[in-house]
Amino acid sequence: MIELKNLSIKYGDFVAVNKINVEIQDGEFFTFLGPSGCGKTTTLRSISGFEKPAEGQILVEGEDISRLLPEERNIGFVFQNYALFPSMSVYENIAFGLKIKKISKNFVKSKVESIAEKVGISEHLYKKISELSGGQQQRIAVARALVVEPKILLMDEPLSNLDAKLRVSMREEIKRLQSELKITTIYVTHDQEEALAISDKIAVFNKGTIEQIDVPSVIYNRPATPFVAEFIGDINHLEGMAATLYRHNTEENQGSQLYIRPQKVSVQGTPPEEDEGIVAVKGQIQSFEFLGAYSKVIISLEDGSRMVSIRFDTMDMLHLRDTVWASFRKKDVLAFGGQS
Amino acid sequence: MSRRRLITRIGFFALFTVIGWFIFSFILVPVVGVIREIFFTDGTFSVDVIKTLLSSRRVMSSLKNTYIMAICTIVLVNIIGIFQIMVTEYFDIKGTKLLNLAFMTPLVYGGISLVTGYNFVYSSTGLLTRAMVELFPGMNPYWFTGFSGVLFVHAFSMTGNHILFVKTAFRRIDYSTIEASKSLGASDFKAFTRVALPVVMPAIFSATILAMLSSLNSFAAPSVLGGKNFYMINSMIQNLNGIGSRDLAALLSFILAITCIILLTVFRKIEKKRNFLSVSKVTTRMRKVKIKNPVLNVIVHGISYIMVAVYLLPIITIVIYSFAEFDTIVSRAIPTKLTLENYIRVFSRGITLEPFFNSFILSFVAVVMVLIVCVVSSVAIHKFKNKAVTILEYSLLIPWIIPSTMLAVGLISVYSTPNLLVFQQVLLGSFILLPLAYAVTHVPSAMRLMRASLYMINNSHEEAARSLGANPLKTFVKVVFPVIRPTIISVGAITFNGLLSEYTVSALLYSANHVPLGMILRSQESLPDPYMAANTLVYIVVLMVISAITLAATQKYRNIV
């Protein structure tokens, strides 16, 4: 188990990571998710030993490793830019960590070949790094980190340099490899879709602190804070609707923040039947966005705000500038800071 | 702390102690030595030397000559340099390959050997001047002596930096910006001056700073071509040092240093304000434009070919005459017979080969010192950010702003008597002082190249190695070193090449038992011995060949890696 206890990292007066606490179970695929500059990579680098914590502990199996040098931690690291050694061949790159440990040549060879096969780069072992594509380089970076059989594997946005299609196939492969090897993995990304798809658990970072730690479905469906709600997936901010939604229109309720996911919003040309559990607002269709498997309908509401609805069916019945009613169920509303 | 970590730390500490001693003893102490020489000649503070300076007409004139020469040099170097870029990179001129070849010659042929070579062709007894005097009897045959001769050499030999920096910057210009200016009504010439030139201005500034510093520090040209009445600061320092006026020599070197520091500061400030970065997402490669006006086309072609002749004539003449019989060399008659006799003589006799051997050994020792200091220091500067490293960085840059003559004068001042810093030895007159001085003066330029190559190393490569179990030393050996190895080899080769015919520091510090090649070239210039003249030509040709091979090989090696 990995435990980060009250971990803080500072650069002069700037606090990059502020007293975070995380527990990661053995064999778990754990993701640090957050926008740029939120402290996720800094935390990852402190686990690997490249950043020194200002305070707090990093415990692996109960042992505090925060004072150990990077080379003494046995933690694999896959870098965002892969950091493959340009002066070495693919084979030499993968064998590097084993050679440092002065393992016999034959054993190194068999280990390198075995991992190369696992990540699907066997035919490229004797090529130069510059001769390979981005996807192949990424596999080598993973193979190089895994071949030394680290206790933990850290991955810092490893897919960010790949094109959209390759990202999807590579993330599936990473997940397959991780499940196969059962290696505890900490993965950093700013891509929420990637995090939701690949992780056993997610920690959502914001301004050096953690907003929420949970399994992907809870993070998406029951965000703990407005930040998580807005950061994960598309969402409509229901400004000024507290009066419509709350039975008791208290000051506290007025100050609460309300959200609804676009897929929970229905759009129709006529007003829906009255129902206490349903809220309907009138507006005009501002635009459509066709996104392949589904479409977005952007509605301009009477109060000037905007509401997005996602539809998987055909939109033949709807036209630009049509007057429509957007409706959603009250129980689907995500509320922060109020009393329903 | 593990035993291994302790040993590594002790090793690093010992290495940095040696480098600290090198910097303190051969950079900082000599600089202080110069100041002591000026103001504390007899142990008490005195400004008498300034009065002596102001009352000496010859010394004051050397100062004036130096400053006027520097201004004239940068004006002419920029005119010639920018013209060269125009005709090789912008305008479509016939024979660009020949033009490029000619304009690149200052990169393989400089210092005392270039001055000697130019003197062979352009002096009063030179081939070209004699031919010109026959054509124009009224012409002054001594035009290549004094101010005009030195300026001529400066103007044509100091364009190397334009070729190195401005040309590279010019090739990076986005051609679509030129096309845009033309679509808005600019002529080809206006597009060049209004659009292309401002973009390469930072590079022109850098080249100008270097030309200015080279001119201020010029030594070989005024020594050989100055004659009896034209002195610049460095030639005057050598003169004063020779007659025992070390305090005055020190003061002149100090003034030169202050001038260089002020100029560098001013230029840096201007340079910072003028920086243009391309904002294009995709840049279009530069394309050449034809000069549409036929008269202008002929004039530009004509000037280009005259410049080619200026550059290539001395080289071609020297190569041909190095194969001529020695009486032909003396009379400067057209050679009727070519022979290998001069080469056989130089390479078969110990006495003629000795200067080469001396310069090889002296340069080799200096290069080893430069590489050790530069590699260790630049890696430390790159990796650590603390006060000790900052002091290390600035200390190693001192020789860049301090003229090499000042450092040489300082070394003479400090090490002409037994000194505790060098275990009570007298270094003046010993073998080691010259390589030490060579190393000190070449450390800053080597450092710049080393640091540039370290910037190319991705920090994550080192981190990757550490995460795979390599300690800092292993990470350096296995990951960092292979990446910087081409630069180390290039820096070593370029430094070695530059030192083979070094003259400025050699003239002040050489030992009689190890006379370097630069001194021999200079002494043979002043002695009209036919054998010596023939030997000089062979030395210059061999130096040019070594330079060309070194530059080509390092370039090729860097490309391969």
Side-chain angles (χ1 to χ4, degrees), chain B residues 146-347:
Chain B
F147 185 88
S148 54
V150 176
L151 183 60
F152 184 88
V153 168
H154 281 190
F156 285 96
S157 66
M158 291 180 185
T159 49
N161 294 316
H162 279 75
I163 298 297
L164 277 178
F165 302 124
V166 185
K167 200 171 187 157
T168 315
F170 198 88
R171 284 182 178 172
R172 289 196 196 127
I173 293 175
D174 182 4
Y175 187 69
S176 58
T177 59
I178 305 273
E179 287 176 324
S181 72
K182 284 184 190 172
S183 73
L184 294 164
S187 65
D188 289 333
F189 187 72
K190 272 252 161 67
F192 178 80
T193 54
R194 295 279 176 89
V195 179
L197 217 48
V199 176
V200 295
M201 211 41 111
I204 292 177
F205 260 90
S206 301
T208 305
I209 294 169
L210 291 171
M212 185 112 179
L213 289 173
S214 304
S215 173
L216 286 168
N217 288 296
S218 177
F219 193 13
S223 296
V224 175
L225 309 173
K228 285 178 186 165
N229 300 316
F230 182 81
Y231 281 94
M232 284 174 64
I233 292 180
N234 273 340
S235 50
M236 183 53 78
I237 289 172
Q238 188 198 21
N239 210 15
L240 292 168
N241 212 48
I243 57 169
S245 295
R246 281 199 346 217
D247 53 349
L248 207 50
L251 179 60
L252 273 186
S253 68
F254 185 69
I255 292 171
L256 188 55
I258 297 292
T259 310
C260 292
I261 292 167
I262 292 170
L263 280 172
L264 272 175
T265 315
V266 171
F267 272 113
R268 284 266 170 230
K269 281 206 165 159
I270 301 170
E271 199 182 12
K272 269 186 187 169
K273 284 183 191 166
R274 294 172 155 269
N275 212 348
F276 307 100
L277 293 172
S278 171
V279 289
S280 305
K281 291 266 184 254
V282 183
T283 53
T284 316
R285 272 179 71 120
M286 281 297 285
R287 267 174 255 154
K288 288 194 173 179
V289 295
K290 281 196 188 305
I291 303 174
K292 290 174 197 97
N293 183 325
V295 179
L296 194 66
N297 197 17
V298 170
I299 292 171
V300 173
H301 270 81
I303 297 172
S304 305
Y305 297 147
I306 290 171
M307 276 194 189
V308 169
V310 169
Y311 281 106
L312 291 186
L313 216 56
I315 295 175
I316 294 167
T317 313
I318 282 172
V319 172
I320 292 173
Y321 274 82
S322 72
F323 292 101
E325 291 169 314
F326 69 80
D327 49 347
T328 316
I329 296 170
V330 176
S331 64
R332 307 280 208 274
I334 304 293
T336 49
K337 190 184 157 197
L338 297 180
T339 166
L340 282 171
E341 202 183 302
N342 298 327
Y343 286 85
I344 293 166
R345 193 176 56 249
V346 166
F347 286 103

Side-chain angles (χ1 to χ4, degrees), chain A residues 45 50 71 81 84-85 100, chain B residues 458 460-461 463-464 466 469:
Chain A
R45 288 171 60 79
F50 299 130
E71 60 267 30
N81 60 0
L84 297 172
F85 308 131
I100 291 291
Chain B
N458 200 323
S460 51
H461 288 153
E463 290 176 351
R466 298 287 301 274

Side-chain angles (χ1 to χ4, degrees), chain B residues 267-547:
Chain B
F267 272 113
R268 284 266 170 230
K269 281 206 165 159
I270 301 170
E271 199 182 12
K272 269 186 187 169
K273 284 183 191 166
R274 294 172 155 269
N275 212 348
F276 307 100
L277 293 172
S278 171
V279 289
S280 305
K281 291 266 184 254
V282 183
T283 53
T284 316
R285 272 179 71 120
M286 281 297 285
R287 267 174 255 154
K288 288 194 173 179
V289 295
K290 281 196 188 305
I291 303 174
K292 290 174 197 97
N293 183 325
V295 179
L296 194 66
N297 197 17
V298 170
I299 292 171
V300 173
H301 270 81
I303 297 172
S304 305
Y305 297 147
I306 290 171
M307 276 194 189
V308 169
V310 169
Y311 281 106
L312 291 186
L313 216 56
I315 295 175
I316 294 167
T317 313
I318 282 172
V319 172
I320 292 173
Y321 274 82
S322 72
F323 292 101
E325 291 169 314
F326 69 80
D327 49 347
T328 316
I329 296 170
V330 176
S331 64
R332 307 280 208 274
I334 304 293
T336 49
K337 190 184 157 197
L338 297 180
T339 166
L340 282 171
E341 202 183 302
N342 298 327
Y343 286 85
I344 293 166
R345 193 176 56 249
V346 166
F347 286 103
S348 60
R349 290 188 197 171
I351 194 159
T352 46
L353 206 55
E354 198 183 316
F356 255 122
F357 181 73
N358 287 340
S359 280
F360 259 80
I361 298 289
L362 291 164
S363 307
F364 179 77
V365 175
V367 165
V368 171
M369 290 188 218
V370 166
L371 291 182
I372 292 172
V373 172
C374 283
V375 172
V376 175
S377 307
S378 44
V379 169
I381 293 164
H382 188 70
K383 279 213 73 70
F384 306 110
K385 298 275 170 273
N386 57 45
K387 274 186 188 159
V389 166
T390 312
I391 292 170
L392 176 75
E393 184 176 9
Y394 284 108
S395 304
L396 287 171
L397 284 176
I398 290 174
W400 195 57
I401 51 170
I402 301 282
S404 43
T405 38
M406 178 171 170
L407 280 164
V409 168
L411 287 168
I412 294 171
S413 160
V414 177
Y415 298 113
S416 55
T417 51
N419 194 306
L420 199 62
L421 282 170
V422 289
F423 316 105
Q424 290 295 20
Q425 299 293 308
V426 176
L427 293 190
L428 190 62
S430 71
F431 165 81
I432 199 69
L433 189 60
L434 197 50
L436 274 169
Y438 282 171
V440 166
T441 50
H442 282 74
V443 155
S445 54
M447 278 286 288
R448 282 182 72 178
L449 291 170
M450 281 304 308
R451 293 215 52 204
S453 97
L454 279 168
Y455 274 118
M456 284 172 6
I457 295 177
N458 200 323
N459 270 345
S460 51
H461 288 153
E462 289 172 67
E463 290 176 351
R466 298 287 301 274
S467 75
L468 291 164
N471 63 28
L473 190 64
K474 263 209 175 118
T475 303
F476 176 78
V477 174
K478 300 261 183 187
V479 177
V480 179
F481 186 73
V483 179
I484 60 171
R485 188 173 50 206
T487 309
I488 293 175
I489 292 170
S490 299
V491 167
I494 291 165
T495 310
F496 183 79
N497 187 43
L499 286 173
L500 272 184
S501 60
E502 206 282 343
Y503 178 62
T504 310
V505 171
S506 309
L508 293 163
L509 299 175
Y510 78 95
S511 104
N513 295 327
H514 303 92
V515 182
L517 197 55
M519 293 310 298
I520 299 294
L521 290 175
R522 171 72 184 95
S523 64
Q524 292 188 3
E525 187 56 39
S526 53
L527 298 170
D529 178 325
Y531 281 111
M532 282 191 164
N535 292 351
T536 304
L537 298 179
V538 173
Y539 289 147
I540 295 173
V541 171
V542 174
L543 281 172
M544 283 195 290
V545 171
I546 292 172
S547 293

